[in-house]
Amino acid sequence: MNLVTWSTSEGYLVRQNTKNGRKVTKIYLQLRYAKFVEDYPEFLRQSGHVSKHVAVMSELSRQVGMRRLMEVSACEQNLACNEDHGRALSDVHKLLDNPHLSNDDRLRLVMLYALRYEDREHDSR
């Protein structure tokens, strides 16, 4: 008879005197099943969190694409950081003509433009 030691990543230690090791395998499988049953509620909880996270991220991605928020953000950043009034005016007009932009996004762009260039003489466009 051999002394068989079986160690798993979960920290179980099984020792069994056996000829062929079948009894060790059965015990190991029983321990694995017990561990699975013990951990399953936590798995379900984490799975629910992942599903919620994926749903939120998918909706955010959809909104960013649908409302053209990357273009709006680039224009806002140019308004805040650059001195080129002609380019800023052109970018704002281009975005205001975009039918995919919401009225809130249009209003925010116009207000940011007005604040940025409030001291400048404007043409009648």
Side-chain angles (χ1 to χ4, degrees), residues 3-17 23-32 35:
L3 178 65
V4 177
T5 302
W6 194 288
S7 178
T8 67
S9 62
E10 291 81 18
Y12 297 113
L13 188 62
V14 178
R15 287 193 175 122
Q16 181 69 38
N17 288 322
K23 195 165 191 174
V24 171
T25 303
K26 283 183 181 179
I27 293 172
Y28 172 73
L29 289 175
Q30 289 173 349
L31 291 173
R32 293 289 295 158
K35 180 75 171 148

Side-chain angles (χ1 to χ4, degrees), residues 97-111:
D97 291 338
N98 188 332
H100 298 289
L101 248 60
S102 71
N103 289 336
D104 290 340
D105 295 331
R106 285 186 176 100
L107 179 61
R108 193 174 59 251
L109 280 172
V110 170
M111 289 189 314

